[in-house]
Amino acid sequence: MPTTCPSPEFLSDLLEGRLPAEEGARLRTHLADCAACRAVLEQASDDPELREMAARDHRPSPYWREAALARLIEQSAGTSLGSEPMAPAGGLASLGLGPPRVEGDLGTLGGYRILREFGRGGLGVVFEGYDQALGRPVAIKVLRSDRLEGDHRRQLAREARHAARFRHDHVVVVHAVEETADGVPFIVMESIPGPSMADRLRELGRLAPAEAAELIAQAADGLAAAHDSGLIHRDIKPANLLFDPVHRRIRIVDFGLAHAADAPGSLPEGTLVGTPNYMSPEQARGQRQLDAQADQYALGATLYELLTGEPPFHGTPARVIHQVLEVEPRPPRQLNEAIPRDLETICLKAMAKDPRRRYPNVAAMGADLRRWLAGEPIVARPVGPMGRLARWSRRNRRVAALTASTFLLLAALAVGSLFAAARIDRERRSAIAERIRADANAEQAHAAARIAAERARVASEQRTLALETVSTLIKEVQDQLGRSAGTLTLRGRLADAAISRLEKIARDPADDSDVALARVMARERMGELSFLAGRTSTAREHFRAGSDQAAALAGSAGGEIAVEAGRLAAACDDRLGDLALYSADLNEAGSRYRHALERREALPEVWRESPEGRRGRAVSQNKLGDLALRLGRFEEARASYRRGLALTETDRDPDAQRHRFDLRFVHSRLGDLALAGCDFDEAEREYRQALGYAEAQLAAQPDDIRARREVPVCHSRLGALALRRADPKRALESYQKYLDGSEALAAANPSSAEARRDLLVAVSLVADSRLAARDYPAADRDYRRCLDIARALSRDDPGSLQKHMDIDEILTKLADLESRRERFDQAVSWLEQSRTNLRETADAGLIAPDRRASLDTAIGDRLFLCREARRALGDPAWIATQPPEAAKGLWAIRALSLARRGDLRAAAEAAETLRRLAPDDVESLIVAARAYALCLDASSRPASPASPASPAEAAAAPRPRPETYLAPALDALRAALRRRPGLFRGDVLDPDLNPLFAYPEFRRLLTAPAPTPPG
Amino acid sequence: MDHPRDEGATRPSLLLQLRDHSDVEAWTTFTLLYAPLVYGYCRKRGLQDADAADITQEVLRQVSRSIRSFDYDPRKGRFRDWLRMVTRRKVSRFLAGQAGAELSIEWVSPDEIAEGPADAEWADDFNARVLQVALEQIRPRFEGITWRAFERTWVAGADARQVALEVGMPIDHVYTARSRVLKHLRAQILLLAGNLPHLM
């Protein structure tokens, strides 16, 4: 039973999203019963003007479709030979045509109806035909018998058959090669109604540069594939490139025909096949053995003509041939300044007189065109940074330029008629609607409608401006950021440009929930852009503001706006959590992640249980799992991951790729978890499962960059597992697979910063496993390579803190490596570089002053230790005179170095002193344990005569038994563990500790459950 | 802050964007929007496909020039009417020329085209085209579920209660969805055409 009806104002508030969600929910029951209120809402949520626009029949004009199709058929007249000079031809009879079977036809040929003539050229006549057996239109090329004699005709047919076996998206399909009863060969091809490029040139004069580049790039794809299967075209020219309007792509026609026709003896000596305008110099010289480079020249000449509207050379055939051989073509930009310089470069490179100076193959030419189209630097010639930026910003225009008239016509056709179908339905229902309206209080309804309409009008303009900017701009920017190519500096600039426009929206003061939503969206996008560009503090500000505003909006608005606001708030909180996690603020991270999850759980069920909603909750669970893992709370982490996995597994995400990715992710994480809990077998199982998903993904999408990255990443986890199991050999194997994958990706995407960073990580992990295997020279070589990569990355993106920290990490590793080899001078030089790097980073404003000071001190301490290491090794008494902090470090160096040298007694003494001196310092305790472990290792192998340890001592006293060192090592580790529970979980241990893995006591120590910390 | 509102001047409509020569995107949208309209008009006037296509090209070129040189002034009238006038003139001129060459003058008179019932038809076609394109353009801004709710209630005229059941969303959300999409649609139409049927 209807309760009291709400006021019209209340209802219009509902529509404007100004009501809290509970109000909407309360109203729901009322609305279900009250036809009057529904009628009010129906009218208030309507727009009479739009209704009027929609009220008419909106089927596209009947002329339109017919006309567009008719034009396409007409354009088909240009197939292949249309632009050839008309050769004096014999009558149709000379072609062996049979009498027509259908009135209006020209005749028949085998099982084909010949409908009309398309055109004729040097080799034959092309007809529009119809395959009666298969009921499809075809193009039929009849080779003119008067121009070809017996053997050559057969050779030509052979060649055409060869071409017929080749299939490619950008090549016109040859259906069959047949002969008439009189032995006249004819070729049956796919009928491509589209205009040839020669037709387009006639129609437009010349093409827009981007369109020309796109079309030639497509042709290059087709040619490259043909070249790979040994086919050479030999007669590439605008007339042989057809635009296929159905698939909207370029199709090359007449493959191999010129080749066969030009075979020795097939035509009188000296007869040139092919239009001289597109003929390569080698072809013009009469060279018979042409290779693919001749096609590249012809494609370059075609590009030249598409760009400039003129062939590269003019005049009589003889004159053209002379010029082809002797004269450089006029640079296209002299003919048309609007042609971009790089496109000119590409065109002229392909047309180089010396085939060796062209691109190595047509595929390379195509790739360079695509680079240009993507706004990336081309390889044909280096370009300056300004040029690069200009091209980058031109990117999004490319699509627009491509939609030149032909494309446009079809695009217009494709815009469907939503209304035509709905109209009948609407008419059927209007009777019902009328009845409901009659029930309603008419006056009330009108009042509400007026209020709503008025409010809508006032706000609409500003809102449109805002939302329009947000939706188009964000899409643009994301598209561009999403592509892997391009340097990070450019990304940064792009992000800045986008942010400055988004700022305007974020500051829009309008008091309207839709605008408020746009504001929040803008904040979230700005945060994301800053985050992606590596600007963490700016990102944090944006996300904070976004989260607060979104939360407020979710509380005050109703309906859908509240839902979107809730989702945005969760997205902001996720990122705030990530940022907190990066800066090791684990409490903040936890609270943000939990917030995000709560917000997602609180969404109405429709959204919560939708694939998107479930995925969002899975993301939340996984992030909470990550955090718990980081905190050493393994059970909690496992529970979160399992919940995430359950959401992911049962979710039928329509995006299969993303679904596999999510599954891969969770299994990887469960593997990490098992690894941290030292359940190595379980870890192996999870990692293998993850690898399975990654491999399935790769099989499904072998060319997808992300898919190609996943498999190596899984190998890297298996490498980590092996390293943790103290099995450097297997670690190296797995990491090597990771490295191979990363190398391949980086080579395929030389301009991708992500790919290069991935490579950096891979090389450094390989180096780590070499270090663990004590292959120091190899580790040294790999770390130096890392340093080169890291420096190059930082040069490309000087504003990124992460890149600077990468350099620092590698420098630290190098210093550590050199310390292990007792090459302390070298270590000092690495540390000095590290300090310089730190100062530069701080000067660039990337490190806060207080943090700078503490980092600087830390490096200073390490420098001191390396400088004084020799003295510490020679003079233990001197160490005693040093202040306690310095003494600790010096004893540590002494303990480790002497243990490595095999001077076990002195090493053990130093370790003992260290433990005594710093009984509460976790780092020192671990160093002591490492020293004991090294001693244990040394004492368990036969003494080597080449050992640099003091041979006198080795001879004088029998070496202690290995177990002598086990107890103190375990003691030191236990002490460290008491002070920092969970210390050994998760992290890879220093390889010095590897010898301890042979002892079950040690393994038990690692897996001991983390006791709750005191207090 | 409180300037009197000047509708035509402040709106960043497609037409104003076109004045910027380099705005390729605006021009593409413009062509996509109006080429079929002009073409259809020509065909209805009995022009052959090729001629209709030529005239369409010419009209669009003329519009481009006029907008850039401020020949078209939004304050003087609706763009819709102005576009029709440009098209009509081109068609008349073409038919007159053709008539002189090949046909008897009685075949069609330019005056006949100028006035009459064609105007209502033009307006309908114009509106239909703008609405179609606007719908396509705003669609990606919405969740699938929101769009379905809108389509079912507003386009198909289905009962909100039933739509709520169909798409699985509370009934109040169906109304807010419908209201939101319409606001975007309205704004988009203003952006595209610079006017609504009764606005100016």
Side-chain angles (χ1 to χ4, degrees):
Chain A
M1 261 294 83
T3 42
T4 336
C5 290
S7 70
E9 286 78 10
F10 186 87
L11 290 178
S12 76
D13 279 348
L14 172 80
L15 289 181
E16 290 293 311
R18 278 192 291 265
L19 291 184
E22 312 88 73
E23 294 288 348
R26 204 170 310 150
L27 200 58
R28 248 163 246 164
T29 21
H30 176 76
L31 283 178
D33 296 332
C34 179
C37 282
R38 285 204 305 276
V40 171
L41 276 173
E42 188 135 321
Q43 249 184 302
S45 67
D46 206 344
D47 185 321
E49 284 172 349
L50 296 183
R51 168 74 55 204
E52 185 165 325
M53 286 180 86
R56 305 212 166 79
D57 187 355
H58 288 121
R59 272 170 302 189
S61 148
Y63 293 109
W64 183 239
R65 195 170 292 273
E66 170 220 308
L69 291 176
R71 170 168 346 196
L72 295 177
I73 292 166
E74 253 166 59
Q75 280 165 343
S76 68
T79 312
S80 75
L81 294 178
S83 70
E84 294 278 302
M86 286 286 187
L92 289 175
S94 75
L95 296 169
L97 251 57
R101 265 177 244 142
V102 178
E103 206 187 332
D105 282 6
L106 291 178
T108 52
L109 206 52
Y112 304 94
R113 285 170 55 194
I114 302 297
L115 307 180
R116 61 195 183 96
E117 192 181 319
F118 271 162
R120 51 181 70 199
L123 286 175
V125 184
V126 183
F127 295 102
E128 180 186 355
Y130 188 80
D131 182 342
Q132 285 176 301
L134 295 175
R136 63 181 175 191
V138 290
I140 297 177
K141 184 164 199 163
V142 183
L143 302 169
R144 285 174 36 188
S145 50
D146 55 339
R147 296 288 285 272
L148 290 164
E149 291 310 319
D151 286 348
H152 315 128
R153 197 191 295 167
R154 273 189 291 282
Q155 190 186 350
L156 199 122
R158 211 167 37 239
E159 194 65 30
R161 281 196 189 95
H162 182 159
R165 281 193 293 273
F166 176 72
R167 294 281 160 113
H168 190 271
D169 281 353
H170 291 298
V171 173
V172 172
V173 177
V174 174
H175 291 314
V177 182
E178 300 187 15
E179 275 185 19
T180 63
D182 308 336
V184 178
F186 64 93
I187 299 164
V188 184
M189 296 177 284
E190 200 184 359
S191 170
I192 304 294
S196 76
M197 288 305 107
D199 299 332
R200 297 276 285 144
L201 283 171
R202 265 198 300 281
E203 183 190 336
L204 299 170
R206 61 189 176 211
L207 270 56
E211 189 183 358
E214 172 66 32
L215 297 174
I216 294 296
Q218 291 183 13
D221 290 349
L223 264 184
H227 291 163
D228 283 345
S229 27
L231 276 172
I232 304 212
H233 191 290
R234 292 196 131 204
D235 195 16
I236 290 289
K237 56 187 174 184
N240 279 342
L241 303 184
L242 308 183
F243 182 72
D244 174 357
V246 179
H247 301 98
R248 298 192 184 195
R249 57 185 175 225
I250 277 289
R251 311 282 296 270
I252 307 171
V253 74
D254 277 2
F255 247 101
L257 292 192
H259 187 119
D262 200 21
S266 67
L267 287 171
E269 198 63 42
T271 310
L272 286 160
V273 170
T275 323
N277 265 319
Y278 314 95
M279 188 176 276
S280 62
E282 57 267 43
Q283 203 170 356
R285 268 194 294 274
Q287 194 177 312
R288 294 237 177 244
Q289 291 306 313
L290 290 181
D291 61 12
Q293 292 298 73
D295 280 348
Q296 186 189 143
Y297 178 95
L299 197 60
T302 302
L303 175 59
Y304 186 102
E305 186 166 355
L306 294 187
L307 289 171
T308 63
E310 290 182 41
F313 302 106
H314 293 272
T316 61
R319 198 173 147 64
V320 168
I321 286 168
H322 168 76
Q323 293 178 50
V324 166
L325 291 171
E326 307 295 342
V327 182
E328 287 298 332
R330 279 176 73 191
R333 282 169 53 83
Q334 283 186 19
L335 296 165
N336 174 11
E337 269 188 11
I339 298 169
R341 203 174 290 278
D342 282 349
L343 205 50
E344 176 185 87
T345 309
I346 294 176
C347 177
L348 292 177
K349 184 174 175 75
M351 286 178 68
K353 300 249 186 262
D354 179 352
R356 287 167 304 183
R357 303 195 61 171
R358 295 174 203 152
Y359 287 95
N361 49 48
V362 174
M365 175 185 176
D368 228 10
L369 283 168
R370 296 230 184 272
R371 254 174 239 123
W372 180 81
L373 283 165
E376 298 164 17
I378 60 169
V379 300
R381 188 200 51 190
V383 289
M386 281 321 289
R388 268 194 223 117
L389 187 64
R391 264 191 311 288
W392 186 283
S393 58
R394 185 184 41 77
R395 249 186 181 173
N396 57 328
R397 300 269 157 110
R398 162 185 153 220
V399 183
L402 263 178
T403 26
S405 59
T406 314
F407 296 75
L408 256 174
L409 296 180
L410 288 150
L413 268 180
V415 177
S417 172
L418 181 61
F419 285 89
R423 195 160 173 249
I424 305 159
D425 193 32
R426 188 170 58 230
E427 273 164 8
R428 195 164 51 76
R429 284 163 193 283
S430 63
I432 308 168
E434 276 311 314
R435 205 160 359 104
I436 295 172
R437 277 203 192 90
D439 289 343
N441 181 328
E443 214 172 3
Q444 193 187 26
H446 282 304
R450 265 201 309 278
I451 293 167
E454 189 47 41
R455 281 183 182 163
R457 235 186 297 280
V458 171
S460 77
E461 279 185 29
Q462 268 184 318
R463 184 172 36 227
T464 310
L465 175 59
L467 290 177
E468 189 61 24
T469 318
V470 176
S471 52
T472 58
L473 198 83
I474 287 173
K475 204 177 150 296
E476 254 171 48
V477 171
Q478 269 183 329
D479 274 3
Q480 298 186 0
L481 285 182
R483 285 176 211 166
S484 54
T487 70
L488 280 166
T489 330
L490 277 174
R491 278 191 183 201
R493 273 188 242 174
L494 205 60
D496 287 342
I499 285 171
S500 75
R501 285 169 72 181
L502 285 166
E503 279 286 358
K504 291 201 188 85
I505 298 163
R507 296 215 183 100
D508 185 340
D511 176 27
D512 175 287
S513 55
D514 214 358
V515 176
L517 190 65
R519 260 194 316 255
V520 173
M521 227 191 225
R523 280 284 169 209
E524 195 261 340
R525 296 324 309 170
M526 284 192 281
E528 195 67 20
L529 288 171
S530 310
F531 184 81
L532 290 176
R535 291 173 198 155
T536 46
S537 59
T538 329
R540 189 175 294 116
E541 281 166 33
H542 287 310
F543 285 131
R544 280 219 180 105
S547 168
D548 294 348
Q549 290 173 9
L553 185 61
S556 66
E560 223 202 315
I561 292 189
V563 170
E564 284 196 15
R567 285 203 319 219
L568 284 168
C572 289
D573 282 338
D574 266 351
R575 281 304 194 202
L576 285 169
D578 292 347
L579 286 166
L581 199 60
Y582 290 159
S583 52
D585 186 352
L586 304 187
N587 286 335
E588 165 79 1
S591 110
R592 289 296 180 177
Y593 287 153
R594 274 190 295 277
H595 255 115
L597 180 60
E598 281 160 20
R599 292 193 206 282
R600 289 180 170 129
E601 301 275 6
L603 290 177
E605 199 187 340
V606 194
W607 280 278
R608 197 176 60 232
E609 293 302 328
S610 71
E612 263 334 291
R614 294 176 67 86
R615 186 165 187 273
R617 284 152 64 209
V619 166
S620 274
Q621 293 290 1
N622 291 341
K623 284 186 187 288
L624 283 167
D626 288 353
L627 181 69
L629 179 61
R630 180 90 178 257
L631 285 165
R633 297 187 192 139
F634 298 106
E635 284 323 305
E636 202 182 311
R638 193 185 315 276
S640 287
Y641 288 137
R642 290 270 167 220
R643 279 195 290 269
L645 185 61
L647 283 166
T648 309
E649 271 177 339
T650 55
D651 176 18
R652 285 179 302 279
D653 191 336
D655 186 344
Q657 180 184 3
R658 194 171 72 177
H659 193 224
R660 274 194 293 262
F661 172 81
D662 289 344
L663 286 169
R664 202 282 299 160
F665 178 86
V666 181
H667 282 296
S668 270
R669 279 296 199 263
L670 284 167
D672 292 347
L673 193 62
L675 182 59
C678 293
D679 187 345
F680 298 137
D681 296 333
E682 170 78 7
E684 175 114 27
R685 270 194 300 280
E686 294 288 354
Y687 286 148
R688 295 261 165 225
Q689 207 161 349
L691 183 62
Y693 284 117
E695 280 169 345
Q697 180 55 36
L698 186 63
Q701 293 189 296
D703 296 326
D704 185 82
I705 294 224
R706 195 165 168 192
R708 285 174 61 189
R709 205 171 154 265
E710 296 281 289
V711 173
V713 165
C714 288
H715 283 299
S716 86
R717 298 314 302 150
L718 285 164
L721 171 65
L723 215 50
R724 188 82 170 83
R725 278 176 152 169
D727 186 350
K729 203 166 147 257
R730 273 189 67 196
L732 187 58
E733 277 167 22
S734 289
Y735 280 139
Q736 191 63 52
K737 280 186 195 154
Y738 175 40
L739 178 57
D740 291 345
S742 307
E743 298 260 26
L745 271 177
N749 307 277
S751 54
S752 160
E754 282 84 353
R756 282 156 67 211
R757 170 115 212 296
D758 228 37
L759 183 61
L760 169 65
V761 174
V763 180
S764 92
L765 286 170
V766 165
D768 288 350
S769 47
R770 292 195 197 283
L771 180 82
R774 300 199 191 166
D775 183 355
Y776 295 137
D780 186 42
R781 190 190 59 220
D782 287 340
Y783 282 136
R784 281 170 194 262
R785 184 173 172 213
C786 289
L787 190 58
D788 290 341
I789 302 174
R791 289 214 157 115
L793 279 170
S794 180
R795 265 197 303 280
D796 286 349
D797 187 19
S800 158
L801 176 61
Q802 187 205 31
K803 301 291 183 297
H804 284 278
M805 293 327 260
D806 283 349
I807 296 181
D808 194 65
E809 193 178 327
I810 301 297
L811 287 170
T812 309
K813 285 187 178 209
L814 276 163
D816 175 57
L817 172 68
E818 297 298 7
S819 300
R820 283 174 204 251
R821 300 162 91 182
E822 286 193 27
R823 288 161 50 162
F824 295 110
D825 294 343
Q826 196 53 47
V828 164
S829 123
W830 292 126
L831 287 173
E832 273 167 349
Q833 290 189 39
S834 164
R835 181 151 69 184
T836 314
N837 177 55
L838 170 73
R839 289 182 179 164
E840 281 169 7
T841 313
D843 289 344
L846 297 171
I847 300 180
D850 53 333
R851 184 117 194 282
R852 171 192 185 145
S854 74
L855 287 172
D856 209 49
T857 319
I859 295 185
D861 289 350
R862 258 181 285 157
L863 267 169
F864 165 80
L865 293 175
C866 285
R867 289 208 177 98
E868 302 300 340
R870 292 256 164 255
R871 195 155 172 194
L873 289 180
D875 185 2
W878 171 76
I879 301 182
T881 67
Q882 295 299 303
E885 276 309 306
K888 253 184 349 195
L890 293 166
W891 282 118
I893 288 184
R894 192 173 157 81
L896 291 172
S897 294
L898 293 180
R900 283 203 182 87
R901 283 185 189 177
D903 187 350
L904 308 187
R905 190 157 316 198
E909 259 174 44
E912 205 48 51
T913 315
L914 184 59
R915 277 174 72 193
R916 213 177 40 244
L917 208 63
D920 293 321
D921 180 29
V922 174
E923 313 305 330
S924 296
L925 287 168
I926 294 176
V927 169
R930 282 167 60 192
Y932 290 128
L934 286 168
C935 291
L936 183 147
D937 189 40
S939 60
S940 61
R941 335 171 176 202
S944 132
S947 159
S950 81
E953 186 199 18
R959 279 159 38 118
R961 291 178 51 240
E963 282 70 24
T964 321
Y965 301 106
L966 182 61
L970 293 176
D971 278 353
L973 289 175
R974 277 193 202 101
L977 204 53
R978 268 198 302 279
R979 271 149 199 93
R980 207 182 290 164
L983 174 64
F984 303 123
R985 311 190 96 159
D987 277 346
V988 169
L989 300 176
D990 191 289
D992 288 346
L993 292 171
N994 284 356
L996 295 177
F997 272 89
Y999 299 91
E1001 300 96 306
F1002 175 69
R1003 292 202 299 273
R1004 273 201 297 278
L1005 200 67
L1006 292 184
T1007 53
T1012 38
Chain B
M1 284 301 283
D2 258 339
H3 295 299
R5 294 182 71 80
D6 180 352
E7 296 232 315
T10 54
R11 188 179 303 120
S13 79
L14 183 63
L15 302 180
L16 293 179
Q17 284 175 46
L18 283 180
R19 292 201 167 138
D20 173 7
H21 278 242
S22 62
D23 204 335
V24 180
E25 222 166 281
W27 182 247
T28 306
T29 311
F30 182 82
T31 317
L32 177 66
L33 195 53
Y34 296 116
L37 190 68
V38 175
Y39 176 88
Y41 178 93
C42 296
R43 290 304 305 269
K44 284 182 189 167
R45 294 295 156 282
L47 267 59
Q48 290 306 299
D49 167 58
D51 298 332
D54 283 350
I55 292 201
T56 305
Q57 286 272 358
E58 258 183 67
V59 168
L60 292 180
R61 219 173 290 146
Q62 162 90 52
V63 170
S64 143
R65 271 198 303 272
S66 302
I67 285 181
R68 284 165 185 174
S69 60
F70 294 86
D71 276 3
Y72 165 66
D73 182 348
R75 278 166 301 196
K76 287 187 194 155
R78 288 193 258 206
F79 175 71
R80 182 178 86 194
D81 300 333
W82 184 72
L83 181 65
R84 174 167 179 269
M85 185 190 75
V86 174
T87 309
R88 202 180 60 203
R89 274 192 204 153
K90 292 270 181 210
V91 172
S92 304
R93 203 168 297 162
F94 173 82
L95 289 176
Q98 199 185 48
E102 293 166 18
L103 297 166
S104 69
I105 211 84
E106 290 82 5
W107 185 67
V108 72
S109 111
D111 295 334
E112 193 180 308
I113 303 163
E115 308 301 332
D119 194 32
E121 198 183 328
W122 170 263
D124 282 356
D125 288 351
F126 184 95
N127 289 341
R129 186 79 200 130
V130 171
L131 189 68
Q132 262 181 21
V133 173
L135 278 167
E136 292 298 323
Q137 287 180 337
I138 62 163
R139 185 175 181 148
R141 296 184 206 161
F142 298 94
E143 291 277 342
I145 189 171
T146 306
W147 190 261
R148 268 202 307 286
F150 160 73
E151 222 173 61
R152 293 288 296 132
T153 58
W154 198 73
V155 181
D159 178 52
R161 278 180 302 185
Q162 196 197 329
V163 174
L165 285 177
E166 276 174 22
V167 303
M169 111 200 301
I171 187 165
D172 51 320
H173 288 198
V174 173
Y175 288 116
T176 50
R178 171 178 148 121
S179 162
R180 271 187 80 217
V181 174
L182 279 177
K183 281 179 203 160
H184 281 256
L185 182 61
R186 182 185 184 85
Q188 189 67 17
I189 285 171
L190 286 171
L191 200 70
L192 286 177
N195 56 22
L196 285 166
H198 303 287
L199 209 70
M200 298 206 313

